Structures are given as C-alpha cells and as structure tokens.
Amino acid sequence: MKNTKTFTLTAMFLAILILLSAVPFLGFIPIGPINATTMHIPVIIASILLGPRIGGFLGGVFGVISMIRSTIIVTPLSFVFSPFIPVIGTTHGSLKAIIVALIPRILIGVIPYFVYTGLKKLTKNKPTSQSINLFVAGFIGSATNTILVMNLIYFLFKNDYAQTIGASGSAIYGAILTVIFSSGVVEALVAAIATVAVTTVLFKLIKTNATQKL
C-alpha cells in the first residue's frame, strides 16, 4: 500500500512538472537574460514527502526539462543550460552546461528533506513547529537552486556570461549577486510559502487516508 501511495504521488509531481514546463510564463518566467522558475516547488515538496531519492529523481527531471527547453527556445543564456547550443564565439556547445542544468536541480530534491527532518529533531517534532520547519526547508531548497546555478555559471562560463550581460571585472560577480538577492529571494519566499501551504494539506490527506485504511 505504501508503494502504491509513493508511486501515485511521484506520478502526480511528475505530471505537475510537465504541466508547468508546457505552460508559457508558468514554469519558466523570463526576467532579463535568465528565467525565474516555479519548477523547483513540486520538487521541494516531493523531497519532504517522499524522501531524497524520489526528490532527487524529480529534480533530475526538472534539469532535463530545463536542458530541452534551452535547446528548443534559444535565449542569450541557453548555452549555459544546453550542451547543444554553441557557446559565444564558438560553433559548439559545452558539456559543462549539463552540470549547470542537472546538479543544482537534483540537489533541490535532496536538501529540503534533510533540512526538514533535521529541524523536526531539533524541535522534537512539535506540531506547532511544523509550519516553520516547512518554510525553512522550502526557502533553503529554492536558495540551493539559485545559488548553485548562478555560481556554476560564474565559475564555468565566467567570460561568456560577461559578454552576454556586458559586464567585466568585479561587475560580473556583482551581477551574479544581484540575481541571487533579487529574483532568487523572491523565488525562495514563494517556494517557502507554497511548501507550507501544499505540504501541510498533503500531510493531512496522507494521515487521514492511513487512518481510514486502519
């Protein structure tokens, strides 16, 4: 019965990811040269509910979707997410784009689980602390994506990113920090609030269903 519940929830989150990616301006929201996203939210929630393995799998799906989208819908920064888009000044893509597209997204599905379970232990699993624990896990899960993606872009595609945004010297990392502390913080707050709202309801539904089975 547990396997059935896990499979059903995994399929649901997978369907949500596909839906978000398919609807314009819902899963990926263009903001300047880079997209804000809501795709990480179901991954974070799945991580907390279903554990790091399934969370990591769904995060990987998010990464693959991001890679495919960057290949089909070409933007000035598509080359940092897709190995099939030529890097600026070349005629070929870079395999480093796979790292940017996949690693942060996989970790979105891993880190929230450990943050949430760790906070549960610290707060001795008090019901009154659940919303705070979920908020923090959602915020950190989202921040993981933004911080890792932007820093990987900086370390793996620094010069190419600089050409794209027209910056140089210390202004390059300044632009990275601007993204992290502007759209990144907004994404994290939205993810944190959504994580509390949705996960709380799902916890209750799962608990109710389990009680009825007994």
Side-chain angles (χ1 to χ4, degrees), residues 29-106:
I29 306 162
I31 298 179
I34 202 161
N35 290 316
T37 184
T38 57
M39 294 279 288
H40 58 309
I41 296 174
V43 177
I44 291 169
I45 296 170
S47 174
I48 295 169
L49 284 173
L50 303 174
R53 289 185 180 180
I54 293 176
F57 162 71
L58 291 169
V61 171
F62 170 21
V64 171
I65 290 174
S66 173
M67 199 184 308
I68 293 171
R69 187 178 187 279
S70 294
T71 304
I72 297 173
I73 304 174
V74 180
T75 67
L77 281 178
S78 281
F79 67 89
V80 304
F81 296 107
S82 172
F84 305 106
I85 301 298
V87 177
I88 292 176
T90 73
T91 57
H92 56 81
S94 171
L95 292 177
K96 292 184 289 186
I98 298 175
I99 297 174
V100 180
L102 290 182
I103 300 301
R105 278 61 187 272
I106 291 172

Side-chain angles (χ1 to χ4, degrees), residues 131-155:
S131 293
I132 295 174
N133 297 343
L134 289 171
F135 186 93
V136 174
F139 190 95
I140 292 177
S142 178
T144 296
N145 179 51
T146 306
I147 292 171
L148 285 181
V149 166
M150 295 310 301
N151 277 283
L152 283 172
I153 289 174
Y154 178 77
F155 289 111

